[in-house]
Amino acid sequence: MSHKIIYHASYHKVTQCPTSERPEFAFIGRSNVGKSSLINSLFDRKDLAYVSKQPGKTQSINYYQVDDDFFIVDLPGFGYAKHSRKQRRSWESMSKNYFLNRQNLACVFVLIDANIPLQVIDREFISWLGAHHIPYVMVFTKCDKSKPRQVKKNIEEIQEALLKEWEYLPPHFITSAVKGEGKDLVLDYLFNLADDSIEDERE
Ligand code: GDP
């Protein structure tokens, strides 16, 4: 079944974000992790999540509405080598404010490149989410780039590294925006969580 996704709006401060009752899911990861490609691939679009990348656009929190059900929130990528310290600080304060203050945030989708070892910045970010009890799942991206065996090994190593710090690991998804791998599982997860969040709210 195909779903309708439309660009809703972009914001620079969490206080400006919509006051809607709809649950929302944040997508985040290091710059270049494949976030825009994944969002586009999930919803069979080509250019939807590139709005935030247009030259001259400052970093913003971008909202997309899926059917009448929930928002996908595309947060700016972190760890881009060319960003100045000031830009990094502004990313941190905007994104962290977002995570700490959004009542309707149902889950954060943390994107991690399946082809390389876990980067310090990813690990720090996951620790920060854990320390603040913010629910998240891990989405391994670009899985078509390495042999399945290598992807499996990388993911196991990443999980081992995280298990040194955490007792439990959240669910994870193995995806490729190029091949469409993992897409149905991610979509099912999103729609199920959205249903659960709406039911929780009614109770
Ligand atoms: P973002 O900065 O996280 O939004 O990353 P993009 O979606 O712009 O992707 C960064 C680069 O990785 C681009 O050159 C994409 O073509 C490439 N890429 C993204 N997803 C995949 C994937 O699933 N497989 C492969 N092989 N390349 C990908």
Side-chain angles (χ1 to χ4, degrees), residues 29-38 40 49-50 52-53 74 77 111 115 141-145 175-180:
R30 276 182 307 112
S31 302
N32 235 26
V33 70
K35 178 165 54 75
S36 313
S37 305
L38 183 73
N40 284 320
Y50 288 103
S52 51
K53 292 196 170 179
D74 176 13
L111 274 56
N115 302 280
T141 61
K142 307 190 193 181
C143 290
D144 59 288
K145 272 178 75 181
T175 69
S176 158
V178 170
K179 298 258 168 83

Side-chain angles (χ1 to χ4, degrees), residues 162-185:
L162 291 172
L163 280 171
K164 287 193 181 132
E165 205 178 336
W166 302 100
E167 210 169 325
Y168 304 104
L169 289 180
H172 72 269
F173 299 92
I174 298 175
T175 69
S176 158
V178 170
K179 298 258 168 83
E181 190 184 342
K183 186 176 146 174
D184 290 343
L185 290 175

Side-chain angles (χ1 to χ4, degrees), residues 77-104:
F78 52 82
Y80 182 49
K82 287 191 181 148
H83 280 163
S84 65
R85 193 181 291 176
K86 192 173 160 212
Q87 279 170 315
R88 261 179 253 154
R89 266 207 304 268
S90 115
W91 174 85
E92 271 211 26
S93 83
M94 183 175 80
S95 300
K96 290 190 171 170
N97 267 330
Y98 168 85
F99 292 120
L100 294 173
N101 292 295
R102 288 302 287 172
Q103 301 286 333
N104 293 352

Side-chain angles (χ1 to χ4, degrees), residues 12-56:
H12 292 99
K13 284 189 187 149
V14 66
T15 46
Q16 301 166 330
C17 291
T19 50
S20 158
E21 301 280 287
R22 284 190 189 92
E24 59 193 51
F25 302 98
F27 279 57
I28 191 156
R30 276 182 307 112
S31 302
N32 235 26
V33 70
K35 178 165 54 75
S36 313
S37 305
L38 183 73
I39 296 175
N40 284 320
S41 133
L42 287 177
F43 299 102
D44 298 316
R45 297 284 296 259
K46 284 203 169 65
D47 51 3
L48 186 74
Y50 288 103
V51 175
S52 51
K53 292 196 170 179
Q54 283 160 15

